[in-house]
Amino acid sequence: MSAVPRETYEFTRQIPFSEHLGIKVDALEKGVARLSMEIRPEFMTSWGTAHGGSILSLLDITLSMSARTLYDPPRSIMTIDLSTQFIGTSTGVLKAEGRVSRAGQTTIFCEGEVRSATGELVAKAIGTFRARAAK
């Protein structure tokens, strides 16, 4: 695993929405992020499965985190575009992986997916992100 700044691991704790969702950083390496989230009742549909907004939020944070791993010190990452395909649904814990496909000076292209705890594909996404200038 490539060295990833500790600040990057702690980034999700600095986002109140990420904290609210209970998103956990499982692993980070240069250009790759693996995050997970337990689907609590307030994140479910009336059918008792993960709401699409919950899945989309996990994907957005995971893909942007994969982009964030490219910078030392870490930079703020802004979502420009995110396209998601919902393939299935799930309950319990969702596991997401995001990967950088290509990165320029400030624009980063990423892809990723969310799987159920049993490994079934729940959703896929591609996104474009912008790295904001370091402070």
Side-chain angles (χ1 to χ4, degrees), residues 64-134:
S64 65
M65 183 66 80
S66 72
R68 188 174 171 88
T69 65
L70 299 179
Y71 301 96
D72 185 11
R75 294 165 118 187
S76 178
I77 302 295
M78 184 174 79
T79 305
I80 296 172
D81 183 62
L82 187 64
S83 177
T84 305
Q85 297 173 326
F86 298 97
I87 297 162
T89 192
S90 185
T91 57
V93 175
L94 295 179
K95 296 186 173 283
E97 179 174 296
R99 298 168 300 282
V100 172
S101 304
R102 186 173 177 99
Q105 292 286 69
T106 59
T107 304
I108 306 106
F109 299 92
C110 302
E111 62 184 12
E113 65 271 336
V114 171
R115 294 185 177 272
S116 69
T118 61
E120 292 183 54
L121 185 61
V122 174
K124 295 179 79 161
I126 57 172
T128 307
F129 301 85
R130 174 162 293 131
R132 300 191 64 195

Side-chain angles (χ1 to χ4, degrees), residues 23-27 32-37 54-63 93-99 111-116 123:
I23 292 177
K24 294 182 177 141
V25 176
D26 297 328
V32 179
R34 291 181 192 88
L35 280 61
S36 60
M37 177 176 88
S54 300
I55 298 166
L56 182 64
S57 295
L58 177 60
L59 278 164
D60 184 38
I61 293 167
T62 303
L63 270 62
V93 175
L94 295 179
K95 296 186 173 283
E97 179 174 296
R99 298 168 300 282
E111 62 184 12
E113 65 271 336
V114 171
R115 294 185 177 272
S116 69

